[in-house]
Amino acid sequence: TYTVGPGASCSHTTLQAALNAAAANPGSDTVRIVRTATWTAQQVSTTTDQEVDIVGGYAACSSAAPDGKTTLSGAGGNARSVLSLRGNGIFRLRN
């Protein structure tokens, strides 16, 4: 499990870094994203044959369960896809 947010209890400060770590780690992974940060200019991509759950809505990286939703926005970016998920993996996006 990888956590994404600005806090010291988070394992990564960007979603891209967390997805890179998940792709490098064999087996299924969960990436948790805090809802309390602003996620603009997002242009995240990964290629993997693994199972990856991307779950937003956490108040903090140390939260046990999500209690809302996280918005990933491409505003301010280069007019590309916010998420580009490639490969033969199973991707689940929630909250």
Side-chain angles (χ1 to χ4, degrees):
T1 299
Y2 303 94
T3 56
V4 183
S9 65
C10 301
S11 63
H12 296 84
T13 57
T14 68
L15 178 54
Q16 184 66 64
L19 287 174
N20 290 348
N25 181 44
S28 32
D29 295 294
T30 299
V31 177
R32 298 177 173 184
I33 310 167
V34 300
R35 62 172 169 71
T36 53
T38 302
W39 302 103
T40 56
Q42 296 297 299
Q43 297 173 1
V44 180
S45 66
T46 190
T47 302
T48 186
D49 293 336
Q50 300 175 102
E51 187 173 336
V52 180
D53 288 306
I54 301 171
V55 185
Y58 289 87
C61 286
S62 58
S63 298
D67 63 357
K69 299 205 181 294
T70 298
T71 300
L72 301 175
S73 171
N78 294 324
R80 294 179 19 205
S81 297
V82 172
L83 288 173
S84 178
L85 307 173
R86 296 182 295 273
N88 293 316
I90 298 171
F91 298 98
R92 290 183 200 88
L93 304 173
R94 294 184 289 139
N95 299 338

